[in-house]
Amino acid sequence: MENFAFYNPVKILFGKGQIANIATEIPADAKILITYGSGSIKINGVYEQVTASLSGHNFLEFGGIEANPHLETLLKAVELIRSEGIDFLLAVGGGSVVDGTKFIAAAVPFDGDPWDILAKQAPVKTAMPFGAILTLPATGSEMNTSSVITKWETQEKLFFSSPLVFPRFSILDPETTFSLPLRQVSNGIVDAFTHVMEQYLTYPVNAPLQDRMAESILKTLIEEGPKTFADLHNYEARANVMWCATMALNGLIGVGVPQDWATHMIGHELTALHGLDHAQTLAIVLPNLLTVRRDRKRQKLLQYAERVWGLVDSTEESRIDLAIAKTRDFFEVVGIRTKLSDYGVGLDVIPLITDRFEKRGFVALGEHQDVTPKVVEQILALCA
Ligand code: NZQ
Ligand code: ZN
């Protein structure tokens, strides 16, 4: 196992009715800005629960944060916060609202052009405090330090990470997810699954605990994910998927082990250029990345085949083939198509993506830092 430091201070309040407890988590004299997206929280009763819980507090609201949040919109919130003297943020929504709020929290006290936090990885020296009420289990943003922001003007989707943007607390009430469109339920399962794969499906470093935790999240998603579609109000299945998604990317399974993240980096370009949902890009790229990287990932692919999919018969090559096929089938079973052509995207996207990587002075991706633009091209060529 590699050396590591692990720190995660996020307080999680999990379960039915937990939104009622936010008032006690926010200082009584705080001037709060509630941030949210395109309005789902005003239809599904979450907004009413939040405002009821904050009835003794002073708050304003800022809506309109897009899926794949736009820099341009978030900067309007920054202005509002500065002019109104807001001192606490409350993100209510999915990963986009939480990520957008992390960026706002870092941008308000930032000296200079806040886009530099992403484009130049300018260090975040201080950030506003904020809490989150998560309504879409997928990204893990509710318990991690990352944020992914899109600059609409240039169609760039970049990330930053800082321990200063850990939420102070996150509320995870599975009942808030009952109103999700099925497409977003599917997205959440595939995103969480891929987060685990990015941290698990690399090469062995004798970290059996991390491996088994990763495998248990994958198996739980495989078992519980489909139950959420069979009965749309299955609280237990929603709760299990929600906790899987948080555990998939709160840092715990990734300590002391190599990590890949090439699928995500390629996927972000597909979203930036063609507007595909984040999880759709992952479902397209991951199985083909595993195919192209099968030799470099061989030992872990065999372990994955056996422990996650129960594949023990036949040759090693066919077990690997089948494990990759089962991964793709699982994504399709939970409702996400796995080819670029399913989304009307042609292979002419490949040079656009590899050019962008090269222009950014791109260090090769992957756990061995050897997924060069040439390898990205091979992976994307299989995605047709
Ligand atoms: O706009 P609102 O009203 O919030 O509606 C959203 C949006 O239309 C809707 N929705 C959310 N909760 C709902 C609901 N509709 C009905 N009922 C509910 N309970 O779902 C749509 C998608 O929401 P979004 O927040 O965009 O989805 P998700 O949580 O999948 O977040 C995706 C974003 O997170 C980034 C992605 O790149 C993408 O920008 N990621 C962030 C990560 C992180 N911070 O660690 C890691 C991930 O890999 C990912 O890159
Ligand atoms: Zn993701």
Side-chain angles (χ1 to χ4, degrees):
M1 197 192 310
E2 297 167 1
N3 288 1
F4 66 85
F6 179 69
Y7 170 70
N8 193 318
V10 183
K11 179 172 180 179
I12 297 290
L13 297 173
F14 191 99
K16 283 179 200 180
Q18 290 282 20
I19 294 174
N21 295 321
I22 45 177
T24 54
E25 301 298 327
I26 303 177
D29 58 351
K31 189 164 181 190
I32 304 166
L33 186 69
I34 301 174
T35 53
Y36 61 94
S38 62
S40 60
I41 65 162
K42 295 213 168 164
I43 301 168
N44 61 10
V46 170
Y47 178 80
E48 282 78 3
Q49 289 185 60
V50 172
T51 49
S53 177
L54 290 179
S55 59
H57 281 74
N58 187 357
F59 62 87
L60 294 176
E61 59 183 66
F62 179 87
I65 297 178
E66 305 83 359
N68 306 307
H70 296 178
L71 170 79
E72 292 83 349
T73 305
L74 303 170
L75 291 179
K76 291 183 189 151
V78 170
E79 266 174 47
L80 178 72
I81 291 163
R82 287 179 179 155
S83 65
E84 292 289 339
I86 301 285
D87 52 23
F88 198 97
L89 306 175
L90 182 61
V92 188
S96 293
V97 171
V98 180
D99 279 11
T101 305
K102 287 177 175 174
F103 174 75
I104 296 167
V108 168
F110 188 77
D111 201 7
D113 177 359
W115 179 240
D116 289 350
I117 296 171
L118 299 126
K120 298 185 182 163
Q121 295 287 299
V124 174
K125 295 188 182 135
T126 172
M128 292 181 66
F130 75 100
I133 297 172
L134 187 75
T135 63
L136 197 176
T139 62
S141 189
E142 66 279 6
M143 201 176 172
N144 71 32
T145 56
S146 301
S147 162
V148 193
I149 305 297
T150 297
K151 186 173 188 179
W152 186 245
E153 190 196 340
T154 53
Q155 287 187 301
E156 285 172 284
K157 187 174 186 190
L158 302 176
F159 75 94
F160 81 100
S161 185
S162 164
L164 294 168
V165 296
F166 270 125
R168 294 292 165 100
F169 64 85
S170 284
I171 309 271
L172 280 66
D173 176 349
E175 284 191 328
T176 65
T177 73
F178 286 158
S179 60
L180 280 169
L182 291 185
R183 169 170 148 196
Q184 301 302 345
V185 179
S186 308
N187 281 346
I189 294 166
V190 169
D191 195 19
F193 194 94
T194 307
H195 292 158
V196 178
M197 293 291 271
E198 299 270 28
Q199 300 163 89
Y200 164 73
L201 213 301
T202 57
Y203 57 89
V205 290
N206 199 359
L209 177 62
Q210 291 91 320
D211 280 1
R212 289 198 172 92
M213 287 194 296
E215 288 152 0
S216 66
I217 298 172
L218 296 173
K219 291 182 79 155
T220 307
L221 287 168
I222 292 165
E223 280 172 23
E224 299 291 314
K227 291 184 195 167
T228 61
F229 298 100
D231 169 6
L232 296 180
H233 285 78
N234 182 337
Y235 177 86
E236 296 300 330
R238 296 277 176 154
N240 286 319
V241 168
M242 198 167 207
W243 189 229
C244 280
T246 302
M247 288 299 291
L249 198 53
N250 65 3
L252 197 57
I253 64 167
V255 296
V257 297
Q259 302 193 14
D260 183 340
W261 298 106
T263 296
H264 269 70
M265 298 306 284
I266 301 169
H268 287 168
E269 298 305 325
L270 287 170
T271 299
L273 291 164
H274 284 281
L276 272 63
D277 290 351
H278 173 62
Q280 293 170 340
T281 71
L282 307 176
I284 295 167
V285 176
L286 180 66
N288 296 308
L289 177 130
L290 295 177
T291 302
V292 169
R293 306 297 290 160
R294 62 187 291 151
D295 292 338
R296 298 294 261 159
K297 292 178 179 289
R298 182 180 182 81
Q299 282 175 277
K300 276 306 202 52
L301 274 168
L302 286 166
Q303 182 177 321
Y304 169 66
E306 179 176 345
R307 294 198 193 168
V308 176
W309 296 109
L311 302 170
V312 284
D313 298 330
S314 77
T315 65
E316 290 191 346
E317 290 316 315
S318 56
R319 269 181 262 153
I320 291 175
D321 285 341
L322 202 51
I324 296 172
K326 281 185 172 289
T327 307
R328 187 181 279 114
D329 288 350
F330 175 63
F331 293 163
E332 296 268 355
V333 163
V334 297
I336 306 226
R337 311 300 302 274
T338 52
K339 290 185 185 144
L340 283 174
S341 55
D342 294 324
Y343 303 92
V345 177
L347 292 185
D348 47 348
V349 76
I350 298 177
L352 296 177
I353 293 180
T354 51
D355 278 3
R356 280 179 154 208
F357 283 155
E358 273 161 3
K359 280 196 187 113
R360 266 183 225 143
F362 170 61
V363 185
L365 304 170
E367 65 273 20
H368 297 289
Q369 296 278 290
D370 60 355
V371 179
T372 59
K374 196 84 212 147
V375 180
V376 171
E377 193 181 321
Q378 286 167 11
I379 293 165
L380 284 168
L382 294 182
C383 294

